Amino acid sequence: MATQQLTFSIPPYGTATLTLPEVLTPDAFARLDSAIDSVLGEPRQNLGDAAPDPGSIEYDSWVIQRQ
């Protein structure tokens, strides 16, 4: 079984790696894209107009780095 890894840079948090059990076909990639969009769309919708200000984001990144 061949595996495939997709690595995403997420500054300032480092990276996230998605490991797939096989090479994606165009259809499987489209389904993965839709699933990721669906999963990530929910937190974006929950933020709405209450998105954190840049100062809060900076403070949170500092707290995470200290842990």
Side-chain angles (χ1 to χ4, degrees), residues 15-61:
T15 59
T17 302
L18 177 61
T19 303
L20 305 166
E22 58 191 45
V23 177
L24 292 177
T25 64
D27 180 58
F29 184 82
R31 287 185 282 131
L32 175 63
D33 183 49
S34 177
I36 290 172
D37 189 47
S38 175
V39 167
L40 295 179
E42 184 177 328
R44 282 186 290 224
Q45 289 174 352
N46 291 342
L47 282 176
D49 293 332
D53 64 277
S56 295
I57 294 170
E58 180 65 25
Y59 178 79
D60 290 346
S61 72

